[in-house]
């Protein structure tokens, strides 16, 4: 059987101190959390390389070898001017070049099936027109309906393509990658230092 003992002054004061410390800790935590969202003086901080940008320059560059052209009704991937490119061949043998990232989640378009003038996203089922890159059918599969309902339909870029000798060439902006990287962040992960040869 428990026996009730009267509280002594000593235990009352230690109980009061404990409660006071707990309240103080809660208040300090709330104040620290609120200060994270409080407006502060804006300090200019930039991790951009601040490299000079170049004007766009369209040029045919090699993407894949003609030996690597896929069979009609399929596609493969390549790189031209630093851009990921999907090279698709329709049932008649015509060759098309498109951006190799399927919206909305950027899986490779080059894994898609080519038929009826379109190429289908291998995961979500979106069909893109081979000539224009426009959306023909947006995310019709089960998973596609779930994910595609969150995003607006977006097409993929298309590029002029030509075969020259043993190479399939694609016309791209050869300055695109350098211009993108001019604004790209750099810092602790950039073990090579700045673009001007100096280190941080």
């Amino acid at each position: 059987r428990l026996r009730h003992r009267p509280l002594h002054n000593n235990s009352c004061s230690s109980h009061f101190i404990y409660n006071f410390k707990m309240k103080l800790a809660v208040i300090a935590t709330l104040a620290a959390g609120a200060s994270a969202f409080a407006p502060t003086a804006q300090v200019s901080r930039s991790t951009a390389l601040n490299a000079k940008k170049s004007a766009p320059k369209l040029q045919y560059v090699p993407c894949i070898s003609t030996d690597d052209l896929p069979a009609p009704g399929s596609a493969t991937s390549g790189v031209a001017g630093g851009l990921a490119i999907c090279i698709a061949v329709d049932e008649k043998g015509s060759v098309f070049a498109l951006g190799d990232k399927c919206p909305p989640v950027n899986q490779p378009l080059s894994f898609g099936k080519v038929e009826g003038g379109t190429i289908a996203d291998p995961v979500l089922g979106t069909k893109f027109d081979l000539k224009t890159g426009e959306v023909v059918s947006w995310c019709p599969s089960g998973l596609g309906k779930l994910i595609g309902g969150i995003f607006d339909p977006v097409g993929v870029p298309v590029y002029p393509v030509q075969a020259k000798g043993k190479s399939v060439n694609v016309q791209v902006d050869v300055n695109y990658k350098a211009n993108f990287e001019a604004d790209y962040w750099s810092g602790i992960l950039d073990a090579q230092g700045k673009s001007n040869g100096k280190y941080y």
Side-chain angles (χ1 to χ4, degrees):
R1 186 170 184 208
L2 291 174
R3 185 185 276 173
H4 179 65
R5 292 190 318 191
L7 291 174
H8 297 292
N9 285 343
N10 199 10
S11 62
C12 269
S13 63
S14 64
H15 184 67
F16 174 77
I17 291 172
Y18 174 78
N19 280 340
F20 179 75
K21 285 182 179 179
M22 287 302 294
K23 288 179 182 176
L24 189 61
V26 169
I27 291 170
T29 303
L30 290 173
S35 69
F37 297 101
T40 58
Q42 293 296 320
V43 178
S44 177
R45 292 185 182 139
S46 174
T47 56
L49 293 174
N50 296 323
K52 182 181 175 190
K53 290 191 177 185
S54 303
K57 182 179 177 185
L58 293 176
Q59 179 175 318
Y60 280 96
V61 293
C63 183
I64 63 169
S65 164
T66 53
D67 296 334
D68 295 329
L69 270 172
S74 58
T76 190
S77 62
V79 175
L83 300 173
I85 304 292
C86 167
I87 300 292
V89 180
D90 70 8
E91 301 93 337
K92 298 175 185 174
S94 298
V95 179
F96 301 88
L98 305 95
D100 199 25
K101 294 182 179 178
C102 292
V105 291
N106 291 338
Q107 66 274 7
L109 184 59
S110 52
F111 292 143
K113 184 176 181 182
V114 179
E115 66 181 352
T118 65
I119 183 168
D121 173 335
V123 178
L124 303 179
T126 299
K127 290 186 177 181
F128 301 96
D129 186 285
L130 289 171
K131 293 178 181 174
T132 66
E134 295 295 316
V135 174
V136 174
S137 172
W138 181 250
C139 298
S141 71
L143 179 62
K145 288 178 183 176
L146 180 66
I147 295 175
I150 302 170
F151 301 94
D152 290 330
V154 178
V156 294
V158 293
Y159 305 96
V161 62
Q162 67 180 13
K164 188 172 184 181
K166 290 288 226 171
S167 178
V168 175
N169 299 331
V170 176
Q171 187 185 52
V172 296
D173 175 7
V174 293
N175 291 332
Y176 178 83
K177 185 178 181 212
N179 286 338
F180 174 80
E181 290 175 349
D183 287 331
Y184 200 68
W185 71 276
S186 60
I188 197 164
L189 296 178
D190 186 0
Q192 303 303 312
K194 293 185 180 180
S195 59
N196 62 7
K198 296 183 179 179
Y199 288 88
Y200 297 100

